[in-house]
Amino acid sequence: MLREGISPKISEFFRYLASHSEADNGLPSLSELGRELGVSVASLREQLEVARALGLVEVRPRTGTRRLPYSFTPAVRQSLGYALALNN
């Protein structure tokens, strides 16, 4: 179920994270998520990696994946690091 106000332009995985409060306690396996969202596991892996880089999720062996509290800082750090790499 999609919360009102969630942009339709974000990925299926990001939409899932934003609309499922139970994601704080853990996410289903990628194969289960893929079936639920109608996307391939490969696509979900890519989306998960982006979410991880942005500090939206934490992935741990044996305990799985869970949503982290939102912080704007990781996205800004990634963008700033890239901008500095382009032009000091």
Side-chain angles (χ1 to χ4, degrees):
M1 146 176 15
L2 189 61
R3 277 192 207 163
E4 250 183 75
I6 296 177
S7 172
K9 294 181 181 183
I10 64 174
S11 74
E12 295 87 354
F13 181 68
F14 280 28
R15 220 176 288 134
Y16 179 91
L17 284 176
S19 63
H20 288 77
S21 59
E22 65 273 12
D24 292 340
N25 299 320
L27 297 173
S29 69
L30 291 181
S31 58
E32 289 176 52
L33 266 177
R35 279 191 299 277
E36 182 177 337
L37 300 176
V39 296
S40 71
V41 171
S43 176
L44 279 175
R45 278 195 191 109
E46 291 175 14
Q47 294 175 41
L48 178 62
E49 203 46 48
V50 172
R52 193 175 181 181
L54 293 174
L56 302 177
V57 296
E58 171 184 68
V59 180
R60 288 192 175 171
R62 298 178 201 230
T63 59
T65 304
R66 69 180 183 93
R67 179 175 61 190
L68 295 173
Y70 180 76
S71 171
F72 196 59
T73 305
V76 171
R77 281 190 181 140
Q78 290 284 346
S79 183
L80 182 59
Y82 179 71
L84 290 172
L86 284 175
N87 186 357
N88 280 330

